[in-house]
Amino acid sequence: MSRLLAFSLTALMLAAAGCNKESTELPVDGRDFDGVGYSTTAVYSGRVIDGYLREARVWLDVDGNGQYTPGPLTLALDSGINIVLEEGEPTAMSGAGGQFRLDISGLARDAGEAPDLDPRSFALFAVALPGRTLQETASGDRPVERAFLLSAPPGVRNVTPLTTLARHLGLMGVALGDDSTRELAALLGSINLYGDYVVAGDHRAHAYARAFARYLAGQFPDSANAVLAVGDGTETVLGASEIFLLGASLVRGAPDILRAVDEAAPSGRYDNVDVAEVVLPGVAPDLTNPVLLRRQRVSAVPDSGDLPTGSSHLAISAELVFDYQADGRLISITADGCMMPSMIEIVRLANADGRMAATGTQWRPTLSLAPASRTFFDQKGADERLAFDWSARRATFETTTSCQPGLAAGSELGGQPAVTWQWTLDGEGRVASITDGTRTLIPDYGRISAGFLGYRLQAGEVLEEEVAVVGELQDCEATLAAEVMAAGRVISAQQSYTFAGHDPQPAQFTALQLDLDLRNGFDRLLGYSFLDPALAASAGLPDSNGFRWHFVYPLPGSLQYVAAQPDLIGEALLAGHSAALSCGTDVSSLPSSLFGRVQFEYQTLSDYLIEQLQ
């Protein structure tokens, strides 16, 4: 059968139970018996458990999308035959003791059409409905306050928070005891992830399950919760990727959840744990599953001769790796080789509360031209790190290199930061100023083009650098010829700006323009010029006439193009400052004499989370 998701059962639990039982009898560990034929005329039964959950919607996920699908449901079998389930996926509401009974007669097929569908081939799902689903407790039934989604691996008929964890571990291709899950396996110990912990009297497993359920409820989107509060659970409120991200968040947060429950039961009395008072991780996943910047590969050292040089003669001198929380907020940038932290990029990211995808173009490059960067890159291990604490409005930078003049290099990362930036917010929640204790940058929000901000950078009262976006945006798209409109890289708008503070200012560093491409709803910065004497000095360059970044974006329809995020940079080239071009110019041809090149690599949030777990 064509399935959206595949699951490999992991050797987590007890050996398979005995045989010669009716298929509707549920083993204690929740699994069906091996080697026993299954009749599709039988009822497929099981339990929904947090405590036992009554009036929860249960269904057999035959089409693999994680949502209940009504009939008629067309399925494509591996044989190439299409079959139709007229009544849709088997579904029912759970009753007393969390028990459910699914009518699976619709899975029986005419012998001449296709073999019967075995219910044990499909995952079970259950959703707790706010205000309707009741949790059976020793003190009486309690309505569930907030929706949460549970699932179980194929063939498992207890549907619990623990089976939900087991299923998502399988979906991510990891097993308990692997290097990535050794901590989780140690915390779980001998817990049976498939079992009915209520009937078994396993208070520890029950406490863990209740904490997982509370965590899942806290992650469940408000909009979906509102629909289910007035529905019956058959509504489609989440997509497959959203369900996957909720599961990935559970797997990622599970060790912290287990530790929190253990700390609440110091004497091992898990029956006394008040799960409602346990402090759980609070990071909800970004269910939009954005594409995020994962790596920047920097080539900024000539393999021979001096800079600038041809692109083919630039050697890799650094690689920057970007790491994230499940909500898509940036945790850190780690460099193999040297980086050049940018205060204005920290400002742009802080204005998005650390959510990289919300910045549009994501992290615009800065680079080190220091020849030593290549030396450090060739050595094993990370050399520099820029880390973020968004709640504290703070970023810290550590280095073990000689690439940062005036900064003390540590012997290894993880010690005292060489620089700490702190920022304040204005009344609109934007960065008002950011400082490292010596230098302060004050953003100017008067005019913004393609995310390009003006700013003042000063040391005390002394102005070091000032960038001002001035005048009105000049948009020439309406005047472009058809062949120019069809080109891949075109200046369709320009914005004037000034760059001051470096004396003497090069005579030709005037009439500065931001080159923009605003066609087709794009918000792309194609290029801008800047002065940076320290950057020039790091490469041993004489009097610099300025630099210019050229940004290249994937073409629509290419493999790298992301329609929902069309302004992601594919490559950035650092060349010398050049005279301004006119609006309407086709700039598909790129400079051949370069100081550096930065290649961008992206990854969906879900793929990133899987990679971290693996």
Side-chain angles (χ1 to χ4, degrees), residues 396-468:
T396 56
F397 178 65
E398 301 174 71
T399 181
T400 63
T401 77
S402 58
C403 297
Q404 311 294 341
L407 297 185
S411 58
E412 60 182 4
L413 298 181
Q416 285 294 111
V419 183
T420 298
W421 290 277
Q422 198 82 41
W423 58 87
T424 59
L425 302 181
D426 63 17
E428 297 182 39
R430 304 173 303 187
V431 174
S433 67
I434 180 172
T435 183
D436 61 8
T438 301
R439 303 160 76 226
T440 300
L441 184 145
I442 302 170
D444 178 2
Y445 298 106
R447 286 186 173 87
I448 302 174
S449 288
F452 186 93
L453 293 174
Y455 60 85
R456 288 174 56 89
L457 178 63
Q458 54 194 54
E461 299 299 320
V462 178
L463 177 67
E464 289 192 359
E465 187 172 285
E466 183 173 20
V467 174

Side-chain angles (χ1 to χ4, degrees), residues 6-44:
F7 179 83
S8 351
L9 288 175
T10 56
L12 307 177
M13 304 287 84
L14 304 174
C19 54
N20 296 321
K21 301 284 186 181
E22 292 294 326
S23 62
T24 53
E25 291 186 23
L26 187 64
V28 173
D29 74 353
R31 293 173 294 179
D32 281 314
F33 298 107
D34 294 334
V36 179
Y38 200 91
S39 169
T40 53
T41 60
V43 170
Y44 196 59

